[in-house]
Amino acid sequence: SKWPLRLAPGGTKKVASGCDGVVLRPARGPVLQAGQYLDWTLGVRNPDDRGNRRPFTIASAPGDDEVHLGVKFYPGPSAFKRSLLNMKPGDTIYGSQIAGEFTLPKDRNEKLAFIAGGIGVTPFRSMMQELIDTRDDRSIGMRYGNNRVKEIAYADVFDRAERELGIKTVYAVASDATLDTNMHRGFIDADLIKREVPDYRERTFYVSGPRAMV
């Protein structure tokens, strides 16, 4: 089945450099778990060879009234992404085919480590918001890599998770020279993991990001 979702007023906003957040209001919301994705279908007037359908992970938590998508826009975007960016409040997009096993384990005592790169952070935003909403302070360490500080998305949610749940995020930034104290210069590598996650052998790792990074 398909779920019609309409763009909320002011529903497209910048969440990081090159990344837009799309806020949708469902007429009938899909029932999903944090970290899952849907196939999204949009009426593209002049579709290119990539068609009018894309999989996008949900960035919002399952209990939210609105559905949030995080979409990376590159130079020369596809016809689908151009149409998505040009949606007007009230325009409709359809979600279908809930899928994905990139979800939190049922065992709250299982130790976890999250590694995100770029827009691959989207499922972790959903999970973190769900943990905040349910006051679930399970043992998680998160590492989030980008080329530049301005490319970091959803830091407000991750910072809140640290304040309220003690779930720490370390940001790895490859290119910028000036960094905050919770940032690591360079990539997410073995040395960073050993230093920040000394019990890494006891943890289940979740990795999401560009194919080359994963």
Side-chain angles (χ1 to χ4, degrees):
S1 59
K2 290 187 176 181
W3 299 276
L5 299 97
R6 292 178 174 83
L7 186 71
T12 302
K13 59 182 179 180
K14 190 73 65 179
V15 296
S17 177
C19 177
D20 280 51
V22 180
V23 181
L24 304 164
R25 290 183 176 170
R28 178 171 60 88
V31 179
L32 48 81
Q33 299 179 61
Q36 290 189 307
Y37 65 88
L38 296 177
D39 280 344
W40 296 93
T41 304
L42 188 59
V44 180
R45 288 189 176 183
N46 298 300
D48 52 27
D49 57 2
R50 296 187 62 187
N52 66 341
R53 187 173 175 178
R54 293 286 189 286
F56 286 123
T57 301
I58 305 295
S60 47
D64 291 348
D65 293 332
E66 297 175 324
V67 172
H68 293 222
L69 304 180
V71 183
K72 185 76 172 179
F73 287 91
Y74 298 96
S78 65
F80 180 95
K81 285 192 175 181
R82 289 198 303 271
S83 297
L84 181 62
L85 192 59
N86 290 324
M87 284 179 68
K88 302 293 189 295
D91 285 354
T92 302
I93 186 171
Y94 293 89
S96 63
Q97 303 295 330
I98 296 171
E101 298 180 359
F102 199 85
T103 56
L104 290 166
K106 293 181 179 180
D107 182 2
R108 294 184 63 254
N109 294 316
E110 185 174 348
K111 292 183 176 182
L112 308 175
F114 291 169
I115 295 181
I119 196 57
V121 75
T122 305
F124 296 126
R125 195 274 184 197
S126 177
M127 293 180 191
M128 289 290 196
Q129 187 62 57
E130 172 80 348
L131 295 170
I132 291 169
D133 291 345
T134 58
R135 309 302 304 163
D136 187 345
D137 59 349
R138 65 178 73 193
S139 178
I140 300 172
M142 178 161 167
R143 313 292 164 254
Y144 176 19
N146 284 285
N147 285 324
R148 299 188 179 279
V149 172
K150 66 181 181 180
E151 296 172 353
I152 294 172
Y154 309 123
D156 56 333
V157 173
F158 303 133
D159 292 347
R160 185 181 170 194
E162 183 168 1
R163 289 195 310 271
E164 299 183 13
L165 303 177
I167 298 175
K168 180 182 178 182
T169 296
V170 172
Y171 301 94
V173 180
S175 299
D176 286 350
T178 303
L179 305 179
D180 293 339
T181 55
N182 62 340
M183 295 179 182
H184 163 80
R185 180 176 287 104
F187 297 102
I188 301 172
D189 56 16
D191 289 340
L192 175 62
I193 292 172
K194 289 176 181 177
R195 183 177 75 242
E196 296 290 342
V197 195
D199 60 348
Y200 65 91
R201 294 183 185 274
E202 303 172 13
R203 294 181 180 269
T204 299
F205 278 73
Y206 284 59
V207 185
S208 175
R211 185 182 300 273
M213 173 206 159
V214 173

